Amino acid sequence: MNLAVAIFAGLWFWFVSGCWGYTFHYVLKQPLVMALPFGILMGDIPTAMIIGATIELVYVGMISPGANIPADECFAGVISIPLALLAGADPETAVVLAVPFGLLGTFLDQLRRTVNARWAHLADKYAANGDEKGLFRCAFTYPLAAGFVMRFPVVFVAVYFGSGALERLLSYLPEWVMHGISVTGGVLPALGFAILLFVIGQKMLLPFFFIGFFAVKYLGINTMAAAVFGVCIALLVVLISNQNKQELIAALGSGDSDDDDE
Amino acid sequence: MTEAMQNEIKESILTEKDIRTAYFRWYNYCEISNSYERMQTVAFCYAISGILKKLYPVKEEFKAALQRHLNFFNSQGIWGSSLLGVAAALEEEKALGKEISDETIINVKTGLMGPMAGIGDTIDWGTWKPLFFSIAASFSINGGIAGFFICFLFALVPFLEGWYLTRLGYRLGRDAISRLLEGGWIKQLIMGSGILGLFMVGALTASNVTLQIPIAFTMGGTETTIQTILDSILPGLVPLALVLGIYTYFRTKGQKFGRVVFFLLALCMVGSLIGLF
């Protein structure tokens, strides 16, 4: 079973990190999503889902606005989920395992984007010859083929040989290191949320961040409730701020023809 | 929103199917060949190549068209697809004999790719992503599989959004798209999704960022911990300060993710070693 799991993990990481489908591949990158096939393969769906969801929450705020990715949740999940399941570890230990791999994974993505420059040069040549099929190979075939070499072996080896090494490592590591990584797992989401604040946070709207924060702290609402209230508040504010602005309705109604007649 | 445009009699070579093929190619391939050198340009060129081939039967013109779409291009996959529509509309006009220079086409793409990426980052990455994935995680944290399916909303919703935007870009053309960016409803959309996004980020910070300072000491005869005192002042003070601190760092020093990751790791390890956390 070990072999099958390791091959699956390697193939999943290769295919998903190839980025086929702008948001589709991103869904497959999520630890929560890969948890289901791992759970099916290893015969323990509930545990896999719990581990996947726990790791997911570490990375839920991580986005990369035009820059390098801050952490690779796919690399983290594709190694830590099967290893945690094999070792019968609890979700917290799985997070401890996921965090270092999530950080290492960023280097693989930088490697990919560096290597990909090669295909841009090739594409120049194909474009000059009007070769559409060549362009397709530069946009699809070559990057994915190169990705296989960069991605499959490292995950395969980590999962196939990892479970034995992991148990030994966990018994050797001093308590403070384990605890330190565990604390990092609790702190790392802060980075993701700070990035989100940075990307979407117009200063004027920052109070809504505090409303959301204290709604959970004082009122104890859960995620789904936060989403429901969040949508209502957003609609309320937008609608009120538009009460006297007919141009919104006009713009929604007839597109571009009305911008000048205010 | 496009009735006014539809009333115009528009001479056209391209069909709905051509635009759809280009968008499918773009959505599927826009990140595969992403490179540091020219980012998403190979994907853009390939996505529009089918359209160019149809528009320019003369081989030399086709080659030139391909080459002008190999300049640096980097936007956000969903909102950037509106520029695929705009580029298709411009190329069509050019093929129909209108005076449109190569520079015009390149400049429209280069000028709008940044603003489009900004909107897309706010709406798709800043709002949809944490919204769908955090709800999904809350459905699976006890072992259920519902979260698996909820995650796919993030594939579906932005995909449809991009398809709409591609057609919008094609139908409105370059001037209308530029005006759209300054117009009312996009601003409302950004404000609304910003409010929802910020509210969710606040909620998620409260429930997912944990940092405890369990140092115990005796005060007035009773044993207490620093954490107890902090909680009595303001619940979640440390996580809140942490997020706001990193946010302030980004605002003043730019997006230095790597440094922050390293700092957090070092902080936690040292804190763990000396028994602070």
Side-chain angles (χ1 to χ4, degrees):
Chain A
M1 186 175 86
N2 238 343
L3 183 68
V5 171
I7 291 175
F8 175 78
L11 288 177
W12 185 277
F13 184 60
W14 160 63
F15 176 74
V16 169
S17 300
C19 303
W20 192 343
Y22 185 63
T23 51
F24 177 71
H25 91 271
Y26 204 81
V27 170
L28 300 184
K29 267 183 106 168
Q30 301 310 307
L32 175 57
V33 170
M34 66 179 75
L36 185 62
F38 274 123
I40 292 169
L41 205 61
M42 301 172 73
D44 189 354
I45 295 173
T47 311
M49 294 312 287
I50 294 171
I51 292 174
T54 310
I55 299 173
E56 181 72 42
L57 287 172
V58 176
Y59 297 103
V60 78
M62 300 279 184
I63 61 171
S64 50
N68 291 325
I69 51 173
D72 187 342
E73 67 269 56
C74 187
F75 195 58
V78 89
I79 291 176
S80 62
I81 293 174
L83 288 189
L85 282 172
L86 281 172
D90 56 19
E92 281 67 39
T93 312
V95 169
V96 169
L97 200 56
V99 167
F101 283 112
L103 301 180
L104 287 175
T106 58
F107 296 114
L108 284 175
D109 195 63
Q110 290 172 18
L111 182 66
R112 171 181 82 97
R113 291 193 184 193
T114 309
V115 171
N116 275 353
R118 177 90 193 89
W119 319 132
H121 290 284
L122 259 181
D124 285 336
K125 233 182 273 173
Y126 289 126
N129 293 325
D131 183 351
E132 215 188 335
K133 289 204 180 92
L135 276 177
F136 170 74
R137 291 200 300 273
C138 290
F140 182 78
T141 321
Y142 297 150
L144 282 182
F148 187 82
V149 181
M150 285 184 272
R151 293 178 186 272
F152 179 83
V154 56
V155 170
F156 175 81
V157 168
V159 175
Y160 188 69
F161 298 103
S163 58
L166 174 70
E167 275 161 41
R168 259 173 285 139
L169 188 69
L170 289 180
S171 62
Y172 283 139
L173 279 181
E175 172 58 29
W176 70 267
V177 173
M178 296 289 294
H179 181 67
I181 302 176
S182 175
V183 172
T184 311
V187 164
L188 214 50
L191 169 63
F193 300 135
I195 296 173
L196 284 175
L197 270 187
F198 181 73
V199 172
I200 62 178
Q202 306 161 33
K203 268 186 183 160
M204 195 185 74
L205 301 179
L206 275 182
F208 293 101
F209 166 79
F210 292 97
I211 297 176
F213 183 86
F214 289 112
V216 170
K217 280 296 178 198
Y218 284 123
L219 309 177
I221 62 172
N222 65 25
T223 307
M224 192 66 202
V228 171
F229 288 124
V231 169
C232 292
I233 293 173
L235 280 176
L236 195 65
V237 173
V238 170
L239 290 178
I240 288 177
S241 76
N242 269 293
Q243 214 167 20
N244 301 318
K245 291 183 191 166
Q246 292 301 316
E247 70 261 41
L248 168 69
I249 298 134
L252 281 171
S254 59
D256 61 311
S257 57
D258 49 49
D259 281 3
D260 308 319
D261 52 22
E262 284 167 330
Chain B
M1 112 153 14
T2 51
E3 277 163 29
M5 293 303 288
Q6 279 166 345
N7 292 339
E8 277 179 31
I9 298 158
K10 193 172 173 182
E11 204 182 346
S12 65
I13 307 170
L14 299 175
T15 61
E16 169 111 353
K17 190 167 166 285
D18 296 323
I19 305 295
R20 191 168 60 216
T21 307
Y23 173 64
F24 281 4
R25 284 179 176 187
W26 169 251
Y27 177 85
N28 280 323
Y29 302 149
C30 70
E31 284 295 314
I32 295 178
S33 57
N34 196 328
S35 74
Y36 282 130
E37 194 182 294
R38 267 174 285 171
M39 307 307 268
Q40 300 168 320
T41 196
V42 178
F44 194 100
C45 181
Y46 173 65
I48 204 170
S49 63
I51 285 174
L52 298 177
K53 195 166 192 173
K54 189 170 181 183
L55 292 175
Y56 302 108
V58 181
K59 186 100 180 172
E60 289 311 310
E61 287 179 10
F62 174 54
K63 289 177 190 171
L66 285 178
Q67 283 173 306
R68 73 173 155 263
H69 287 288
L70 272 177
N71 280 297
F72 183 92
F73 184 80
N74 191 36
S75 190
Q76 189 255 7
I78 301 304
W79 284 72
S81 64
S82 63
L83 300 179
L84 184 65
V86 173
L90 285 172
E91 292 288 357
E92 186 176 38
E93 285 181 41
K94 189 180 170 79
L96 286 167
K98 281 205 187 152
E99 272 297 319
I100 291 173
S101 68
D102 292 5
E103 286 73 36
T104 307
I105 296 173
I106 294 167
N107 289 346
V108 168
K109 281 166 61 184
T110 316
L112 291 179
M113 66 188 187
M116 285 299 175
I119 300 172
D121 282 344
T122 305
I123 292 172
D124 298 317
W125 294 110
T127 308
W128 291 138
K129 187 215 156 178
L131 183 70
F132 292 148
F133 289 165
S134 62
I135 291 174
S138 75
F139 273 91
S140 282
I141 199 80
N142 293 318
I145 59 166
F148 174 87
F149 299 100
I150 295 172
C151 283
F152 281 89
L153 280 175
F154 188 65
L156 184 68
V157 172
F159 174 81
L160 296 175
E161 209 179 305
W163 172 222
Y164 172 79
L165 287 164
T166 308
R167 286 188 304 171
L168 190 71
Y170 175 66
R171 279 186 296 199
L172 294 186
R174 69 192 138 141
D175 297 330
I177 275 288
S178 313
R179 260 185 289 149
L180 202 65
L181 287 177
E182 291 143 24
W185 72 272
I186 288 241
K187 279 192 179 145
Q188 303 304 323
L189 193 61
I190 293 171
M191 184 166 100
S193 83
I195 291 170
L196 173 59
L198 285 170
F199 187 86
M200 287 307 290
V201 173
L204 292 168
T205 299
S207 52
N208 290 321
V209 182
T210 49
L211 185 61
Q212 304 265 337
I213 304 177
I215 296 175
F217 61 95
T218 318
M219 191 174 67
T222 50
E223 182 139 330
T224 183
T225 65
I226 292 183
Q227 190 59 44
T228 317
I229 296 173
L230 289 174
D231 282 342
S232 68
I233 300 169
L234 200 63
L237 187 62
V238 179
L240 188 64
L242 198 61
V243 170
L244 292 176
I246 301 172
Y247 166 71
T248 313
Y249 179 77
F250 287 151
R251 283 201 77 96
T252 51
K253 298 275 157 76
Q255 303 175 32
K256 292 180 176 154
F257 299 158
R259 280 190 197 183
V260 174
V261 167
F262 185 75
F263 169 76
L264 290 178
L265 197 61
L267 176 80
C268 295
M269 297 310 278
V270 172
S272 170
L273 180 63
I274 63 174
L276 180 64
F277 302 135

